[in-house]
Amino acid sequence: MSVSTHTAIRNIAIIAHVDHGKTTLVDALFRQSGLVRHGQEINERVMDRMDLERERGITIAAKNCSVVYENVKINIVDTPGHADFGGEVERALSMVDGAILLVDASEGPLPQTRFVLQKALQAKLKIIVVINKVDRKDARPDIVLDEIYDLLIDLDASEAQLDFPLFYAIGREGVAGTAPDRLERDLHLLFDAILSEIPPPRFDPDAPFQMLVSDLGYSDYLGRLAVGRVMGGHAESRHRLICIDANGLHHPMKVTRLQVYEGMDIMPVDTVSAGEIAILSGIDQVAIGDTICTEEAPFVLPRIKVDPPTVSMLFTINDGPLSGKEGKYVQSAKIRERLRKETLLNVAIEVDENTGNRDAVLVKGRGELQLAILIETMRREGFEFCVGRPKVILKTTPDGVQEPFERLFVDCDEAFMGVVTEKLSIRKGKMMNLNNTGTGRVRIEFSIPSRALIGYRDEFLTDTRGTGIMNAYFMGYGPYRGDFPSRFTGSIVSDRQGHAVPYALYNLEPRGRLFIEPGNPVYEGMIIGEHNRESDINVNPAKEKKLTNMRASGKDENVILSPVRPMTLEQAINFIRDDERVEVTPASIRLRKVTLGVKARYVQRGEKK
């Protein structure tokens, strides 16, 4: 077999931990390549196209773009920096020949850096290391470089992978150089390294057309879009091809349009050849990992493998009294259809419809953040539904029950080390390493069950006065470490339907923290607050003050209530217990009991005892 290279193309991914500057660096590459005209106004973090990405400042979905430098087209894939979106990273790395590893000059290689670097090394990609943000006051580039070498050695990198090109950069200003104090005026050194170090795509010039589907899109005009790297041969518009699915079934297709990435946009072309990242339209039945090839040579390419999901969450219809008042889509069929569509676009999410309840679906994912993003996206699309508490997926083996474990890294002030260690030990965490940097902050490493981190992040921020940093990555499965209390407080539950009254809420304030304000609708079984004690309490938030012939109706009306901080979706998901649900609508986030009736819950409690 003869092998050729496509010298006019480079395919590269940018990988890093959250907030280390990936998307900002892509902005700078755009500007320098001439894609953005001088003086042209574009948004910051132009690759963060989703509203949720802009609001949270994180990349959620891997996205493609391209720049042209010295007549070479560089296809760039911007990958997420959070372990919960690891499926996006694995999908993106299947399309590229090399990767730029971006590391913060102060924080160094964090857990997600380890996760994505391990995936890149396993794929035998060529790595270029960029130490970013060298202008930070607390930058320590020399120490960070040693940490990168230690990490590569720990991940069994080869001699060739240890011999990586190294650059120092300030992504925000679009400058890079070979030393922290010798930065060039732009990024031309990085561009030159991409052309010289990243290998061009290799292919067999005599091979028939083959493409591995790594991403899916949708167009109102063209229907389903299959995105992937062309592994061999070439295709033209109107070509007749076949799509081979996971079961080996052949689905005929006719290419209605061929497109490639040009800058931030996609442009139609007449033909695509090996090495290019192409977008094909003309088939409805296609999934990520499928092979598109010719009917004469139906050769199946290796499917994209992703790590299995570790967390599950139950999605059900909203059967409460306020159902259908705020949402556009409330039927279980619509919710199922939307979740099935998500599995097509997201390889890391699985949907199990065999729950024994036709109105409930079990959704499995990488972590609570990934599922929370899915819930928030559906909510903004007009869906109304309920979700249960996240649960880890356990495995039963001959040695006993196995549960997923995380390697947790905590960076906090010395003063908070005691309370953090105490809380994590209660949650069955084991300290693996302790490093005092001498700056008043400590770095602690724990091995901890994944279920222990559900709901802990908010508690951690409170304990460290908002100054702590917490990161984790999935280690694997291990023996079950036993039960521990997840919440030490009960719920304040409404015992009737109506609207909250200031007088009633004022008298309930000593019982705990309230979640609702005067005038909010309430119903029997709705959770309106957090009880000070461990037990639940049923109350009447709609109780009005009785007037007597001694009091005028306007007397004693000036009740001053403590301000209520609105609960976010993540806080609500973390707060609930197993017998509670989060009611999600486009306008509201409410908490409720699974069983709404007070008497029915009392009977259930008696049966459990």
Side-chain angles (χ1 to χ4, degrees), residues 169-319:
I170 305 172
R172 192 179 63 247
E173 295 178 12
V175 295
T178 53
D181 54 352
R182 289 202 308 274
L183 299 180
E184 300 288 331
R185 66 186 185 282
D186 55 22
L187 294 170
H188 75 271
L189 288 178
L190 181 57
F191 271 118
D192 293 339
I194 292 172
L195 299 193
S196 61
E197 298 290 339
I198 303 299
R202 293 160 58 88
F203 64 96
D204 178 2
D206 303 321
F209 179 78
Q210 287 177 327
M211 186 179 107
L212 181 68
V213 179
S214 302
D215 193 6
L216 296 176
Y218 186 80
S219 163
D220 291 335
Y221 303 103
L222 302 171
R224 177 79 65 208
L225 304 175
V227 182
R229 176 172 160 178
V230 180
M231 299 297 186
H234 71 281
E236 296 176 5
S237 195
R238 302 293 174 191
H239 256 188
R240 292 196 176 275
L241 302 170
I242 58 168
C243 176
I244 306 175
D245 64 15
N247 302 316
L249 298 176
H250 293 194
H251 303 279
M253 66 172 287
K254 183 179 180 182
V255 181
T256 54
R257 183 177 291 187
L258 285 172
Q259 297 168 294
V260 294
Y261 289 97
E262 281 194 16
M264 295 163 280
D265 304 316
I266 53 178
M267 303 295 288
V269 291
D270 295 325
T271 180
V272 291
S273 54
E276 182 65 270
I277 295 175
I279 305 156
L280 272 66
S281 56
I283 183 167
D284 291 329
Q285 292 178 300
V286 62
I288 290 172
D290 288 356
T291 299
I292 295 177
C293 56
T294 62
E295 202 165 4
E296 296 75 36
F299 181 75
V300 181
L301 294 165
R303 291 187 75 83
I304 298 169
K305 291 182 180 177
V306 298
D307 293 339
T310 56
V311 174
S312 67
M313 193 183 284
L314 196 70
F315 282 55
T316 66
I317 60 167
N318 180 14
D319 57 357

Side-chain angles (χ1 to χ4, degrees), residues 135-171:
D135 57 332
R136 284 181 62 159
K137 290 180 181 177
D138 55 350
R140 47 191 188 100
D142 295 338
I143 299 170
V144 167
L145 180 59
D146 290 339
E147 291 175 356
I148 293 169
Y149 276 116
D150 291 343
L151 177 58
L152 282 162
I153 293 165
D154 192 30
L155 294 174
D156 296 326
S158 64
E159 289 288 334
Q161 288 169 328
L162 283 169
D163 186 23
F164 52 79
L166 173 67
F167 297 96
Y168 299 87
I170 305 172

Side-chain angles (χ1 to χ4, degrees), residues 466-498:
T467 62
I469 301 170
M470 187 174 93
N471 293 291
Y473 73 89
F474 176 64
M475 280 173 57
Y477 276 77
Y480 189 78
R481 279 195 188 166
D483 298 328
F484 54 84
S486 59
R487 200 173 105 201
F488 296 97
T489 56
S491 300
I492 302 175
V493 187
S494 172
D495 65 357
R496 69 198 65 200
Q497 192 163 350

Side-chain angles (χ1 to χ4, degrees), residues 295-455:
E295 202 165 4
E296 296 75 36
F299 181 75
V300 181
L301 294 165
R303 291 187 75 83
I304 298 169
K305 291 182 180 177
V306 298
D307 293 339
T310 56
V311 174
S312 67
M313 193 183 284
L314 196 70
F315 282 55
T316 66
I317 60 167
N318 180 14
D319 57 357
L322 303 179
S323 170
K325 292 190 176 180
E326 296 173 353
K328 186 178 176 185
Y329 308 109
V330 295
Q331 306 93 331
S332 61
K334 291 281 187 186
I335 296 168
R336 284 169 188 262
E337 185 185 333
R338 174 63 180 83
L339 292 171
R340 284 192 205 108
K341 181 183 172 187
E342 188 66 28
T343 60
L344 289 175
L345 300 173
N346 194 332
V347 285
I349 281 189
E350 295 178 10
V351 172
D352 182 4
E353 299 186 26
N354 300 319
T355 58
N357 179 356
R358 64 190 185 92
D359 292 330
V361 177
L362 194 67
V363 180
K364 301 174 183 177
R366 287 287 179 83
E368 53 184 311
L369 176 62
Q370 184 190 27
L371 294 175
I373 293 290
L374 171 60
I375 294 165
E376 182 65 36
T377 306
M378 290 176 64
R379 177 190 175 206
R380 293 183 183 202
E381 291 170 2
F383 284 87
E384 181 177 320
F385 53 97
C386 291
V387 294
R389 180 173 171 78
K391 293 181 179 179
V392 297
I393 299 170
L394 304 176
K395 287 183 179 177
T396 305
T397 65
D399 300 328
V401 177
Q402 302 263 315
E403 67 171 333
F405 278 84
E406 309 260 340
R407 181 62 62 91
L408 176 68
F409 296 81
V410 171
D411 186 329
C412 66
D413 289 340
E414 269 186 89
F416 305 128
M417 187 175 78
V419 65
V420 169
T421 309
E422 181 189 355
K423 291 278 181 74
L424 290 174
S425 61
I426 291 172
R427 292 169 172 259
K428 306 295 181 183
K430 291 182 179 177
M431 188 187 291
M432 309 293 286
N433 194 13
L434 173 64
N435 179 23
N436 193 330
T437 58
T439 58
R441 291 182 75 85
V442 291
R443 285 192 171 190
I444 322 170
E445 202 175 316
F446 292 90
S447 161
I448 191 164
S450 297
R451 59 195 163 96
L453 297 180
I454 296 174

